[in-house]
Amino acid sequence: MSDLFATQLHSTRTQLAPQACVLHGFALDVAGALLADVAAIEAFAPFRHLVTPGGHVMQVAMTNSGTYGWCSDRRGYRYDRHDPQGGEPWPAMSPAFLQLAADAAREAGFDAYVPDACLVNRYAPGTRLSLHQDRDEDDRIAPIVSVSLGLPATFLFGGFARADKAVRVPLQHGDVVVWGGEDRMRFHGVLPVKPGRHDVVGEQRINLTFRKVK
Ligand code: MD6
Ligand code: FE
């Protein structure tokens, strides 16, 4: 994409559904602060490839920040207050994380958003995330706020059944996707990340997914 097009998309919005939208470039101004916070989280709770209940190793590398962290192993998916690797509480959510999540949620029509979990995902080139619903949270109405940093990716945003047709949404560094309310349980995923190098983030895509679990 040309710089001109990228600039035009800065601070515009794409509505995906009644309560789902992309806020283009919404996190650009705070990307540096968010990445510094990711480095601090990673130093304390390293990225790791979780195993699914079915025994597959996930392509996406994950860690967490906040009161609850999303975990997967042979026993199932769940949220845990402690990192199973080491038993410590997950690193607290930073002021920059909380502020960006609340600001993006408000911009998308969700007031007073206070997430209690942030799943931090790292996609190396070639990594994909197959269509899924985020359904391990008690709160099925509060929005998911998903921040893209680094390499671009194509986000898939579908319906309420896996087989429903999904739209392809190009995501750039600094874009934020918000989905909640009646659209909270839509299937979504990420196509394989194309090889490349981002000026700041390098050969990877970092995604922050904020949720309200309890
Ligand atoms: C994204 N990620 O990377 C969207 N969900 O743009 C997700 O929807 C997601 O990365 C559950 C677990 C990890 C994820
Ligand atoms: Fe998800």
Side-chain angles (χ1 to χ4, degrees):
M1 193 185 291
S2 73
D3 285 348
L4 178 60
F5 192 40
T7 304
Q8 283 173 337
L9 280 180
H10 184 191
S11 79
T12 68
R13 165 200 303 238
T14 300
Q15 203 71 34
L16 300 172
Q19 296 196 84
C21 66
V22 184
L23 305 172
H24 299 279
F26 193 85
L28 270 182
D29 293 345
V30 294
L34 299 177
L35 288 163
D37 292 340
V38 170
I41 293 164
E42 184 183 356
F44 198 82
F47 283 104
R48 78 288 306 263
H49 294 273
L50 298 173
V51 176
T52 66
H56 297 285
V57 177
M58 294 190 73
Q59 289 186 0
V60 182
M62 298 182 176
T63 185
N64 290 284
S65 167
T67 305
Y68 301 101
W70 189 80
C71 302
S72 175
D73 60 22
R74 291 305 302 245
R75 290 178 295 158
Y77 303 124
R78 68 185 164 279
Y79 279 94
D80 202 313
R81 286 176 174 269
H82 300 94
D83 183 348
Q85 237 174 264
E88 297 286 326
W90 297 103
M93 250 190 279
S94 70
F97 273 33
L98 288 167
Q99 190 68 52
L100 187 276
D103 288 348
R106 181 175 298 277
E107 183 70 20
F110 300 95
D111 286 346
Y113 181 57
V114 184
D116 54 14
C118 179
L119 178 57
V120 184
N121 302 299
R122 188 181 66 197
Y123 295 70
T127 300
R128 65 192 287 270
L129 186 68
S130 51
L131 274 180
H132 66 277
Q133 291 170 301
D134 290 2
R135 54 184 316 144
D136 301 315
E137 302 75 22
D138 292 348
D139 192 322
R140 303 281 186 92
I141 299 296
I144 306 281
V145 173
S146 173
V147 181
S148 291
L149 299 167
L151 287 178
T154 302
F155 185 63
L156 299 172
F157 196 69
F160 299 100
R162 189 182 301 276
D164 290 350
K165 192 173 163 48
V167 293
R168 293 176 173 219
V169 183
L171 295 180
Q172 309 279 339
H173 177 72
D175 288 352
V176 181
V177 188
V178 182
W179 64 103
E182 66 181 84
D183 295 313
R184 170 63 176 72
M185 298 310 293
R186 282 182 183 270
F187 276 84
H188 57 278
V190 180
L191 289 182
V193 171
K194 292 195 178 128
R197 161 128 39 86
H198 185 271
D199 288 346
V200 180
V201 185
E203 298 180 16
Q204 58 184 346
R205 171 176 185 261
I206 301 287
N207 168 260
L208 313 177
T209 345
F210 295 93
R211 299 96 188 277
K212 186 164 167 3
V213 175
K214 303 285 180 191

